[in-house]
Amino acid sequence: MKKELFYGKGMNLIQNDFPDIYEAIVGLNEAVYTGKTLDYKTQKLIAVAIVASHSDDRAIERQIKSAINELGATKDEIMDVLRIVLLTSGMPRFVKAVKILYDVEKK
Amino acid sequence: MKKELFYGKGMNLIQNDFPDIYEAIVGLNEAVYTGKTLDYKTQKLIAVAIVASHSDDRAIERQIKSAINELGATKDEIMDVLRIVLLTSGMPRFVKAVKILYDVEKK
Amino acid sequence: MKKELFYGKGMNLIQNDFPDIYEAIVGLNEAVYTGKTLDYKTQKLIAVAIVASHSDDRAIERQIKSAINELGATKDEIMDVLRIVLLTSGMPRFVKAVKILYDVEKK
Amino acid sequence: MKKELFYGKGMNLIQNDFPDIYEAIVGLNEAVYTGKTLDYKTQKLIAVAIVASHSDDRAIERQIKSAINELGATKDEIMDVLRIVLLTSGMPRFVKAVKILYDVEKK
Amino acid sequence: MKKELFYGKGMNLIQNDFPDIYEAIVGLNEAVYTGKTLDYKTQKLIAVAIVASHSDDRAIERQIKSAINELGATKDEIMDVLRIVLLTSGMPRFVKAVKILYDVEKK
Amino acid sequence: MKKELFYGKGMNLIQNDFPDIYEAIVGLNEAVYTGKTLDYKTQKLIAVAIVASHSDDRAIERQIKSAINELGATKDEIMDVLRIVLLTSGMPRFVKAVKILYDVEKK
């Protein structure tokens, strides 16, 4: 999968200054996003689920944007992901991620 | 979705002793696992991802068993989930979940 | 307990767009905040403790505000909660929650 | 508050081998469990809530035992605590703590 | 070790209003940062690692600043810490901490 | 650094069944444990700190064993690491890791 989809701009800094880390992350990324058994969109939705359950604002926004813009995920699909976050990780993390989803959508 | 798929036996105790909590959980469960936009198996794989990223042994085992036995998830599909756990949550959580997957499979 | 006390504004969006989730959350909320054995204020202080130990800024602010404004919790009571956060969850989470408590108080 | 209530046996090892850490923990413990504004039992219930939301088996068992045996907390009071865990931290952590509560009770 | 290195300004409020908590934290701090077996800088780098793995923005910034300004840690040393965060805690936490490191450096 | 030091036996299964993941992890591991700026032992102590702050029993045991047996870390050095865990992550995680350290030492 094209690496642009999975990296924020912080990766450019790492590529310049720490190319060994950058290469390792590229290799890791390729082994993670295979798109073979599960397709890319499903894997991306799983990434949305995990970062939402970790309650990290910037990562949630980045993953939701990428799911919508690059992989065509719909709002309903992402809400189906966040339903599982509600059940497994509780209300505060669910509410935070829902708010970010709505903010991303409005832009 | 049949609630048997999502509850461990601890729920029987709750049903007897705290029926108000039990009813709320049943209602929550029904609102979470809709199987409409994303199908049940995808939602279950997302639950596997989240509990694996939380590093909770019993929940990981229960969710992986349920994904395999009730929803027909394959080992390769679950490994595709755990690849995302490796990238987003690190090696220790990935290795733990892989070990549980192999243990579940052997039984 | 009145649901206004426990929901942020994100819940209005959910009520409109995903009424099945909203109903499940209302049911869950009613089963959680019973005010029978432990009174509402004690339960709310417990919610403050948990979100503080999870280090989620917005949830901490919302829970502390609700504890003070709706349930009459005092600064000393909330500090007694945060003392336990210090012991069980460490300095960074304690310091963050204390800072939010002081910010809420000044407003 | 008597320190016996809050320490597991691991503390004896620390007292012998690392007395400076032991003294600091005793001092911390005294500043945390004041029993002034909130009483000891309420503070202990808050500790139960936090360790349950962290999903740490041994700590949950130790805190629930201490709440019941030393401070007279009832099963219903602890379930009122765990209701908040369900809402704020999700099903897997709630179910785990409920199971430990029932196991402690049977002994 | 001088306590100024380890406290943010929130500690002044605590010192004034809750001197018992303040004294306990000072005692804890002295027992924690001994500089005997491991030197101060190594202990500080360990603190950077832990707060980075907890994904707490303000704590990461404060610890990185303190490591650089007070203990002379270099960017390469902190990146060596964050490499371990990448392996043990995943990409989102690594990327966040790297971004904060670069922001601290530019100031 | 020799990869044996950093992998549990779960990695053999992954090497056989999912060689692409295995290769990515080897590459990641080499980029993480460089031993250039910080030496291997310091990096390993940082790994101990992070897994202890995550409260994962098996990972704590594996990392402590590896620090002692492969890199010659002493009990006092590991206690200096765990002091930081106490301050930043709270008592339950500190006590758990201390207990594992003593258990590893006795074997």
Side-chain angles (χ1 to χ4, degrees):
Chain A
M1 187 173 202
K2 282 184 304 171
K3 62 181 179 264
E4 288 72 26
L5 303 189
F6 296 102
Y7 301 158
K9 59 188 168 180
M11 284 302 291
N12 293 334
L13 300 169
I14 293 171
Q15 185 172 19
N16 285 333
D17 295 349
F18 301 94
D20 63 331
I21 302 179
Y22 181 80
E23 286 308 316
I25 290 173
V26 169
L28 179 62
N29 199 58
E30 278 168 10
V32 165
Y33 289 105
T34 60
K36 277 193 208 158
T37 314
L38 298 182
D39 60 26
Y40 287 146
K41 190 172 74 177
T42 302
Q43 285 198 305
K44 195 72 187 173
L45 293 174
I46 288 165
V48 169
I50 292 174
V51 297
S53 86
H54 289 177
S55 199
D56 174 347
D57 295 50
R58 282 183 288 202
I60 298 169
E61 186 185 344
R62 191 179 316 137
Q63 296 287 354
I64 287 180
K65 272 186 185 167
S66 163
I68 292 176
N69 297 335
E70 310 294 343
L71 292 160
T74 65
K75 185 180 169 185
D76 279 351
E77 284 175 327
I78 291 174
M79 275 303 291
D80 265 18
V81 171
L82 300 185
R83 290 169 197 259
I84 316 287
V85 172
L86 171 62
L87 185 68
T88 57
S89 309
M91 273 284 285
R93 294 174 183 192
F94 170 74
V95 171
K96 168 184 281 194
V98 168
K99 195 175 166 310
I100 292 171
L101 169 60
Y102 274 87
D103 288 347
V104 166
E105 246 215 331
K106 270 186 291 193
K107 285 173 194 171
Chain B
M1 188 175 200
K2 283 184 304 170
K3 61 179 179 266
E4 289 73 23
L5 304 191
F6 296 102
Y7 300 160
K9 60 190 168 179
M11 284 304 289
N12 293 333
L13 300 169
I14 293 171
Q15 184 172 20
N16 286 332
D17 296 348
F18 301 94
D20 63 330
I21 302 178
Y22 181 80
E23 286 309 316
I25 290 172
V26 169
L28 179 63
N29 200 60
E30 279 168 10
V32 165
Y33 288 105
T34 60
K36 275 191 211 158
T37 313
L38 298 181
D39 60 26
Y40 288 147
K41 192 173 73 178
T42 301
Q43 285 197 305
K44 195 70 186 174
L45 293 174
I46 288 165
V48 170
I50 292 174
V51 297
S53 86
H54 290 175
S55 198
D56 175 345
D57 295 49
R58 282 183 290 203
I60 297 168
E61 187 186 344
R62 192 180 317 137
Q63 296 286 354
I64 286 180
K65 273 187 182 165
S66 164
I68 292 175
N69 297 335
E70 311 294 344
L71 291 160
T74 64
K75 183 180 169 183
D76 279 350
E77 284 175 326
I78 292 175
M79 277 303 292
D80 265 18
V81 170
L82 300 185
R83 289 169 197 258
I84 317 286
V85 172
L86 171 62
L87 184 68
T88 57
S89 308
M91 273 284 286
R93 292 171 184 193
F94 170 73
V95 170
K96 169 185 279 195
V98 168
K99 196 176 166 310
I100 293 172
L101 169 61
Y102 274 87
D103 288 347
V104 166
E105 245 215 332
K106 271 187 290 194
K107 286 174 191 168
Chain C
M1 184 171 205
K2 284 183 305 172
K3 64 179 177 269
E4 288 73 22
L5 304 189
F6 296 103
Y7 300 158
K9 58 188 168 179
M11 284 302 290
N12 293 333
L13 300 169
I14 294 171
Q15 185 172 18
N16 286 333
D17 295 349
F18 301 95
D20 63 330
I21 302 178
Y22 181 78
E23 286 309 315
I25 290 172
V26 169
L28 180 63
N29 201 58
E30 279 168 11
V32 165
Y33 289 104
T34 60
K36 277 191 206 157
T37 312
L38 298 181
D39 59 25
Y40 287 146
K41 192 173 73 180
T42 302
Q43 286 199 305
K44 195 72 186 173
L45 292 174
I46 288 165
V48 170
I50 292 174
V51 296
S53 86
H54 288 175
S55 199
D56 174 346
D57 295 50
R58 282 183 290 203
I60 297 169
E61 186 185 344
R62 191 181 316 138
Q63 295 288 354
I64 287 180
K65 273 187 183 165
S66 164
I68 292 174
N69 297 336
E70 311 293 343
L71 292 159
T74 64
K75 183 180 170 183
D76 279 351
E77 285 175 327
I78 291 174
M79 277 302 291
D80 266 18
V81 170
L82 299 186
R83 290 168 197 260
I84 317 287
V85 172
L86 171 62
L87 185 67
T88 58
S89 309
M91 273 284 284
R93 293 171 185 193
F94 170 73
V95 171
K96 169 184 280 193
V98 168
K99 195 174 167 313
I100 292 171
L101 169 60
Y102 275 88
D103 287 347
V104 166
E105 245 215 332
K106 270 186 290 192
K107 286 176 191 169
Chain D
M1 185 172 203
K2 284 183 305 172
K3 64 180 175 264
E4 289 72 22
L5 303 189
F6 296 102
Y7 300 158
K9 59 189 168 179
M11 284 302 291
N12 293 333
L13 301 169
I14 293 171
Q15 185 172 19
N16 285 332
D17 296 349
F18 301 94
D20 63 330
I21 301 179
Y22 181 79
E23 287 308 316
I25 290 173
V26 169
L28 179 63
N29 200 59
E30 278 167 11
V32 165
Y33 288 105
T34 59
K36 276 191 207 159
T37 312
L38 297 183
D39 60 25
Y40 286 146
K41 192 173 73 179
T42 301
Q43 285 198 306
K44 194 71 188 177
L45 292 175
I46 288 165
V48 170
I50 292 174
V51 296
S53 87
H54 289 175
S55 197
D56 174 346
D57 295 50
R58 281 183 290 205
I60 297 169
E61 187 186 344
R62 192 181 316 138
Q63 296 287 355
I64 287 180
K65 273 187 182 165
S66 164
I68 292 175
N69 297 335
E70 311 294 343
L71 292 160
T74 65
K75 184 180 168 182
D76 279 351
E77 285 175 326
I78 292 174
M79 277 302 292
D80 265 18
V81 170
L82 300 185
R83 289 169 197 260
I84 316 288
V85 172
L86 171 62
L87 185 67
T88 57
S89 308
M91 273 283 286
R93 291 170 187 195
F94 171 73
V95 170
K96 169 184 278 194
V98 169
K99 197 177 165 308
I100 292 172
L101 170 60
Y102 274 88
D103 288 346
V104 167
E105 246 214 331
K106 272 187 290 193
K107 285 176 191 167
Chain E
M1 187 174 200
K2 283 183 304 168
K3 62 181 178 268
E4 288 73 24
L5 304 190
F6 296 102
Y7 301 159
K9 59 189 168 178
M11 284 302 290
N12 293 334
L13 301 169
I14 293 172
Q15 185 172 18
N16 286 333
D17 295 349
F18 302 93
D20 62 330
I21 302 179
Y22 181 80
E23 286 309 316
I25 289 173
V26 169
L28 180 63
N29 199 59
E30 279 168 11
V32 165
Y33 288 104
T34 60
K36 276 191 209 158
T37 312
L38 298 182
D39 60 26
Y40 287 146
K41 191 172 74 178
T42 302
Q43 285 198 304
K44 195 70 187 174
L45 292 175
I46 288 166
V48 170
I50 292 174
V51 298
S53 86
H54 289 176
S55 198
D56 174 346
D57 296 49
R58 280 182 291 202
I60 297 169
E61 187 186 343
R62 192 180 316 137
Q63 296 287 353
I64 287 180
K65 273 187 183 165
S66 163
I68 292 175
N69 297 335
E70 310 293 343
L71 292 159
T74 64
K75 183 180 170 185
D76 279 351
E77 284 175 326
I78 291 174
M79 276 302 292
D80 265 18
V81 171
L82 300 186
R83 289 169 197 259
I84 317 287
V85 172
L86 171 63
L87 185 67
T88 58
S89 308
M91 272 284 285
R93 293 170 185 195
F94 169 74
V95 170
K96 169 186 278 195
V98 169
K99 194 175 167 311
I100 293 172
L101 169 61
Y102 274 87
D103 287 347
V104 166
E105 247 215 331
K106 271 187 289 193
K107 285 174 192 170
Chain F
M1 187 175 201
K2 284 182 305 170
K3 63 178 178 265
E4 288 73 24
L5 304 189
F6 296 101
Y7 300 159
K9 59 189 167 182
M11 284 302 290
N12 293 332
L13 300 169
I14 292 170
Q15 185 172 20
N16 286 331
D17 295 349
F18 301 94
D20 63 331
I21 302 179
Y22 180 80
E23 286 309 315
I25 290 173
V26 168
L28 180 63
N29 199 60
E30 278 167 13
V32 166
Y33 289 105
T34 60
K36 277 193 208 157
T37 313
L38 298 182
D39 60 26
Y40 287 146
K41 192 172 73 177
T42 302
Q43 285 198 307
K44 195 72 188 175
L45 293 174
I46 288 165
V48 170
I50 292 174
V51 296
S53 86
H54 289 176
S55 199
D56 174 345
D57 295 51
R58 281 183 291 203
I60 298 169
E61 186 185 344
R62 192 180 317 138
Q63 296 287 353
I64 287 180
K65 272 186 182 165
S66 164
I68 292 175
N69 297 335
E70 310 294 342
L71 292 160
T74 65
K75 184 180 169 183
D76 280 351
E77 285 175 325
I78 292 174
M79 276 304 290
D80 266 19
V81 171
L82 300 186
R83 290 169 197 258
I84 316 288
V85 172
L86 172 61
L87 184 68
T88 58
S89 308
M91 273 282 286
R93 293 173 184 193
F94 170 74
V95 170
K96 168 184 280 193
V98 169
K99 196 175 166 310
I100 292 171
L101 169 61
Y102 274 88
D103 287 348
V104 166
E105 245 214 330
K106 270 187 293 194
K107 283 174 194 171

